[in-house]
Each structure stands twice: as C-alpha cells, then as structure tokens.
Amino acid sequence: INPNEKVLCRGSYWRPPYIRCWSVHGNVDFYSALAGSCNVYFQEAAHRAGIDKMVEVAQAFGMGEKTNTLGIINESSGLLPTPKWKKELYEASLGKKYEKKFNDLNKERMDKLSTASEEEKDKINRQYDSKKKTLEAQQKIDLNFYTRWQPFDTYNISIGQGSNSFTLVQLANLTATIANGGRHYQPYLIDRIVSPDGQIVQKYTPKMLNKVPVSGVNLAHVKEGMRRVSEPGGTAYFLFHDIPAEVGAKTGTAQTNRVGDNKRKEFHGVFLAFTPVENPQIAFAGLVEYGQSGSGSAGHVAKAVFEEYYGLNKEEEPEND
C-alpha cells in the first residue's frame, strides 16, 4: 500500500464482520492512520497484505517467541496467532468436545437398550444412527469453520486485538528494532559481572539476531508515522511537548481477555515509544492494567522515563551562603 494513498474511514470497516473504529476519521493515509489509531485503515492494509506475509514479518521481529533476554527467568513466549496455530487449537478442542457428545449419545442408547424389548431396541438403534449422522455432520461443519483461518481473524490481529498476546520485553524490542532501522537484537539486563576485587569476570554486549525483511524505506515510513503520534493531532501529542527531542510513539487499548470483564468497557493501556527520532537512544514499552487508553495511562510512564533520561527532573542545587 502506498503510504500516501487515502483510505476512507466512516466509523467501521466495510468488509464483514464490519469491525468498528473508535472514531470517524474520514480520508486517512498511512501517517494520519497511525497518528490517529484508525482501525479501518489497518484492516484494509491487512486485507491487501494477507496473513502469511504479516506472520513472516512479525516472526522476524521476534513476536510470539521467547526473546531469551539475559537475566530473565521463566520467560513467556506470548502468542502470535497464525493459521497453523488456529487449526491445531480447534482440532484439539473440537475433538474433545465431540468425543464427549458421541460418548453421551452412545450412553443414552445403552441405557435405553438395557430395559427395552426386542421391538423397542430396533427403534432405539435407528434413532441412534440418525442422531449420530446429524452429530457427524455438525462436527464436519464446525471443523471446517473453526479450524480454517477466516478474513475476520486477519482484521482482528491487524489492529492488535483477537488472540494477540505479547510480552513487554517483546514490545520493547519491537520498538527498538523499528527505531534502529531493522536490526533485531537479543536483549540483556546484565551489563557485566564484577569480582569482589573489581575484576570484570564477564561483559555483555549487543548480539544481533537478524535483520528484519523490511526495507529501510518502509521502516522510515513507520518511524515517521510514529513521530506524528506525538505531534498535534496525534493520540499522544499532549504528553511530549516539553521533551527537548522528537518522540516516536504508538498508543494501544488492549482487551483484557479475563473472565468477568466487560470486553467493550474494560481495557489495558499499552504504550510504545522511542526517542530521539533521528538518532534513537532509548525505546519504551509499558502497560497499565485497566488503564483504558495507552496515552492516558502507560504514556505518562513513558513521559516520566524520557524526562528522567533528558535530565528534566534534576533538583536544583542549594545555593551556598
């Protein structure tokens, strides 16, 4: 998709299941869609790209896989939804579901046969055969629908919803990889190990895992779009006008997927950011549970981090008499 091409947002996507946008954005290009978090634009972009290409790029950025960050124990791999994952998931769950249904149906037949006359047994068996055929047909329909990747699956994950489930270190590394021009590194929390006598036992340095299969031109488009998020009209403009450097950012409103939560009213606030845009030095990823919006919750944490980084929080030295 050409980043300058306009896509019309009337408040919901025009393809089923007509997923709504949080606003009516009108005509938006890539930059304004990213700045304004337009669901319609990115569903259309996903429709054109297709799930296979989306998965290929996401995996190159390390999404849905352990980062093997040095210093993290028992790290989660998160989940990058793919057609293969969906097929395996529903084949297993539907298999258990219908195994129980068939067992229950057979038990019902055996219970009836145990007290039935010969004439009644023939009728019971015919009824059982009919019900079994109906159940087999329903199983086939369910397997065909639920195990196949559907267009709405692509639309859902394109806007960060559906079954997407990523760790914060994955999101921070994603942000850093975009910011640095596509070099995907293994993160580490330990800088060096020093012996009691002050000798450096081990020193850790950045280890590049791969170069993502995205052109420098396209990564530059993404960085520009993220820069506009913190400009006037962007969803995070009000946060960074005091920061003495340009900030690239992306706000997020994530479904909680917790039992009992209202999926239309209760959300986690997610925020990604890096600075300065032209020569990135620091990347941020944060989440505030039930923060509702990214800019209204985790965005304030990012602001505090950047203020500290740029020395804006230093207390004035007391004057000498």
Side-chain angles (χ1 to χ4, degrees):
I1 189 166
N2 186 307
N4 295 308
E5 178 186 342
K6 302 284 188 179
V7 171
L8 179 60
C9 170
R10 290 193 174 100
S12 62
Y13 191 37
W14 56 86
R15 303 181 196 275
Y18 313 110
I19 297 174
R20 295 182 62 81
C21 190
W22 70 277
S23 181
V24 178
H25 291 99
N27 280 310
V28 290
D29 59 15
F30 174 76
Y31 310 113
S32 56
L34 199 59
S37 286
C38 179
N39 289 344
V40 170
Y41 181 93
F42 289 102
Q43 288 178 81
E44 174 60 13
H47 174 77
R48 299 189 194 184
I51 186 59
D52 292 339
K53 185 60 67 175
M54 290 169 65
V55 168
E56 177 189 336
V57 173
Q59 287 176 335
F61 277 92
M63 309 309 290
E65 299 175 0
K66 292 182 179 181
T67 63
N68 295 315
T69 300
L70 297 172
I72 291 183
I73 301 173
N74 297 328
E75 180 185 9
S76 169
S77 60
L79 173 62
L80 172 64
T82 67
K84 181 176 182 290
W85 161 81
K86 184 181 181 182
K87 185 173 186 294
E88 292 174 349
L89 174 69
Y90 280 100
E91 278 182 346
S93 61
L94 287 173
K96 291 179 180 178
K97 174 183 175 180
Y98 277 94
E99 182 181 12
K100 184 179 185 304
K101 285 180 176 289
F102 283 118
N103 287 339
D104 289 346
L105 183 62
N106 188 53
K107 184 178 182 302
E108 179 188 22
R109 179 185 68 143
M110 297 306 293
D111 289 344
K112 289 179 179 179
L113 288 174
S114 65
T115 58
S117 64
E118 289 301 318
E119 183 178 341
E120 290 172 330
K121 286 180 180 179
D122 185 56
K123 181 181 179 181
I124 291 169
N125 283 327
R126 288 199 306 271
Q127 289 176 337
Y128 168 77
D129 289 339
S130 177
K131 289 181 179 179
K132 184 181 178 183
K133 286 181 180 178
T134 300
L135 196 56
E136 287 172 342
Q138 186 61 52
Q139 181 185 30
K140 186 176 181 181
I141 291 171
D142 283 351
L143 278 170
N144 184 55
F145 178 79
Y146 287 105
T147 62
R148 291 177 59 190
W149 190 263
Q150 305 292 340
F152 64 76
D153 291 318
T154 300
Y155 306 151
N156 253 328
I157 70 168
S158 74
I159 58 172
Q161 304 294 355
S163 297
N164 285 315
S165 184
F166 306 123
T167 68
L168 286 174
V169 71
Q170 286 173 346
L171 293 176
N173 211 26
L174 165 72
T175 307
T177 304
I178 292 171
N180 71 30
R183 296 182 296 279
H184 178 217
Y185 288 97
Q186 179 185 9
Y188 60 96
L189 299 181
I190 303 167
D191 180 61
R192 59 188 179 273
I193 299 172
V194 182
S195 68
D197 61 358
Q199 299 297 313
I200 295 178
V201 177
Q202 188 165 352
K203 171 74 175 173
Y204 294 95
T205 56
K207 176 184 177 183
M208 194 170 86
L209 301 175
N210 61 284
K211 186 81 165 59
V212 297
V214 181
S215 72
V217 171
N218 283 342
L219 284 171
H221 287 311
V222 176
K223 289 177 68 175
E224 172 61 18
M226 293 180 73
R227 184 182 67 81
R228 296 195 189 187
V229 172
S230 59
E231 282 198 330
T235 52
Y237 166 63
F238 66 96
L239 287 170
F240 300 116
H241 52 80
D242 290 334
I243 300 296
E246 289 186 319
V247 175
K250 184 68 195 81
T251 56
T253 304
Q255 295 170 331
T256 71
N257 283 337
R258 288 176 175 168
V259 177
D261 283 358
N262 187 326
K263 67 178 182 179
R264 296 186 182 277
K265 292 184 178 180
E266 294 180 288
F267 304 98
H268 295 328
V270 184
F271 199 85
L272 310 181
F274 65 91
T275 187
V277 171
E278 292 305 319
N279 182 29
Q281 299 297 312
I282 180 170
F284 173 91
L287 177 145
V288 172
E289 291 185 329
Y290 301 101
Q292 297 302 99
S293 71
S295 58
S297 57
H300 289 277
V301 182
K303 177 185 178 183
V305 170
F306 292 165
E307 285 176 341
E308 189 70 21
Y309 180 78
Y310 285 114
L312 302 182
N313 294 331
K314 290 182 179 179
E315 296 182 4
E316 292 184 8
E317 294 290 334
E319 293 182 6
N320 294 325
D321 292 335

